[in-house]
């Protein structure tokens, strides 16, 4: 019996040694070429991110963090996260949440890989989180306070990559680039033509034939499309914006791919107008709940500039505040207010910050120019023409006059 027990003991010891040896051999090598021993279990670290090909970062919505413009991401924290993702060979997926508490909670739950928000180092963190990577310094009560991104402690190789990637000069460069986008004259590079080429002959631009042909296919007044084109590019087919939009109707490269417009045809006048007409038609379908074509035009124009999601957010805010979400003059004040934190952080808002004044002025300017074209260029309606909006509709006596930003703010405050 004792012999059997001795043999069993020897077998158990040998098995334990074998397991120990295997564990030592399976120590993880850093993707950066170094070996690191870590007593903590590594959950989802750099090598898993690289294998998946996607870095998921979370931040807050805002002009200095992350926002979407014409379907493309911008903002300092987005640009930095994009730069880091490129450095590790991954695509970036940026997500936004309401507050820092939710940011840290999603990181702890493993829903995101890092928090791309510069948080002060005196901000309390749970034991399983740590500061790492991108940081900035600011004076607080005559003392320098450092702010950094946050990651999980059990992602040591991600931390190592962040620390090796970040340079203060990079942050300064990206800040300068953001500032240059909004400098005077930096918006769109274009050669502006006259808003009307020959008044006596009723010729608005050299591209009237394209507007007539392709607006007819979607039932728009070709003079409306001409007014939109002038707002977008000044009738310059080579126009290019800081956001990447191209051509007469300023189509974004991503939108061009969606519409099947090859990159080498973005500056082709007719191809660009044709693609824009198809995109307008798509937007019309997305706002099919707006009763009346004349009213729907405002929503379509706003979405063309600011995005469908942001316009729907403004409609949700209008509804929440007792206004009619189907009427542009009720929705427009909330388009303007989507640039204010108390509105773009509202629970009913899904797409965050919007450069609302630009989108509102875009609609206002096109409507005003379209009105001038209609009084100047006669007999130009396509077969699917839209009649001039009536001064009063059958639904609540809505006036079609487009109010200025100041008038809208004053009207909204009076009603509140």
């Amino acid at each position: 019996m004792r012999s059997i027990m001795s043999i069993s003991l020897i077998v158990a010891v040998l098995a334990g040694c074998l397991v120990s040896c295997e564990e030592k051999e399976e120590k993880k090598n850093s993707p950066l070429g170094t070996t690191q021993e870590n007593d903590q279990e590594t959950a989802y670290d750099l090598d898993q991110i690289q294998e998946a090909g996607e870095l998921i970062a979370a931040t807050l919505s805002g002009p200095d963090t992350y926002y979407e413009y014409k379907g493309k991401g911008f903002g300092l924290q987005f640009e930095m996260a994009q730069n880091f993702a490129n450095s590790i060979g991954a695509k970036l997926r940026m997500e936004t949440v309401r507050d820092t508490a939710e940011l840290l909670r999603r990181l702890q739950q493993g829903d995101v890989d890092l928090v791309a928000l510069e948080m002060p180092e005196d901000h309390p963190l749970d034991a399983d989180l740590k500061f790492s990577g991108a940081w900035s310094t600011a004076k607080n009560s005559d003392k320098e306070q450092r702010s950094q991104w946050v990651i999980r402690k059990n992602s040591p190789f991600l931390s190592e990559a962040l620390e090796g990637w970040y340079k203060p000069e990079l942050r300064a460069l990206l800040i300068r680039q953001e500032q240059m986008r909004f400098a005077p004259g930096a918006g769109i590079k274009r050669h502006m033509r006259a808003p009307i080429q020959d008044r006596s002959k009723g010729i608005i631009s050299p591209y009237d034939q394209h507007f007539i042909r392709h607006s007819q296919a979607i039932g728009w007044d070709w003079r409306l499309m001409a007014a939109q084109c002038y707002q977008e590019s000044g009738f310059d087919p080579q126009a290019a914006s800081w956001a990447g939009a191209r051509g007469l109707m300023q189509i974004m490269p991503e939108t061009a791919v969606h519409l099947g417009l090859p990159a080498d045809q973005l500056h082709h006048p007719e191809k660009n107008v044709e693609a824009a007409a198809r995109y307008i038609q798509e937007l019309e379908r997305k706002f099919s709940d707006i009763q009346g074509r004349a009213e729907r035009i405002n929503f379509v124009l706003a979405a063309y500039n600011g995005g469908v999601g942001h316009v729907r957010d403004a409609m949700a805010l209008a509804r929440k505040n007792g206004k009619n979400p189907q009427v542009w003059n009720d929705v427009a004040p909330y388009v303007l207010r989507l640039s204010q934190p108390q509105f773009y952080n509202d629970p009913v808002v899904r797409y965050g910050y919007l450069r609302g004044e630009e989108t509102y002025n875009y609609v206002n300017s096109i409507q005003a120019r379209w009105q001038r074209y209609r009084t100047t260029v006669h007999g130009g309606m396509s077969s699917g023409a839209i009649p001039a909006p009536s001064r009063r509709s059958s639904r609540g006596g809505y006036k079609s006059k487009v109010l200025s930003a100041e008038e809208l703010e004053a009207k909204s405050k009076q009603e509140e």
Side-chain angles (χ1 to χ4, degrees), residues 200-254:
S200 63
K201 295 182 180 179
I203 299 174
I204 295 176
S205 77
Y207 311 106
D208 288 359
Q209 58 181 330
H210 305 323
F211 301 139
I212 292 170
R213 178 179 300 114
H214 298 295
S215 65
Q216 184 174 9
I218 62 172
W220 269 40
D221 183 339
W222 73 269
R223 296 168 298 184
L224 170 58
M225 185 173 277
Q228 185 182 8
C229 181
Y230 188 81
Q231 185 68 25
E232 290 284 359
S233 67
F235 298 138
D236 179 4
Q238 299 304 316
S241 81
W242 61 268
R246 296 287 185 269
L248 283 174
M249 300 296 288
Q250 288 292 278
I251 296 176
M252 293 290 287
E254 297 83 358

Side-chain angles (χ1 to χ4, degrees), residues 169-188:
E169 313 86 69
L170 171 64
R171 184 177 184 277
L173 173 63
L174 293 175
I175 288 175
R176 287 197 299 273
Q177 289 178 350
E178 281 286 303
Q179 292 171 341
M180 287 174 61
R181 288 191 178 113
F182 304 107
I188 302 177

Side-chain angles (χ1 to χ4, degrees), residues 310-344:
H310 289 302
V311 176
R312 287 290 179 185
D313 281 346
M315 293 170 70
L317 285 168
R319 183 183 297 106
K320 179 178 179 178
N321 288 276
K323 304 299 189 295
N324 188 343
Q326 307 288 312
V327 172
W328 176 249
N329 277 355
D330 278 3
V331 173
Y334 296 100
V335 171
L336 289 167
R337 291 170 179 168
L338 279 173
S339 61
Q340 302 172 26
Q342 63 267 39
F343 290 98
Y344 66 69

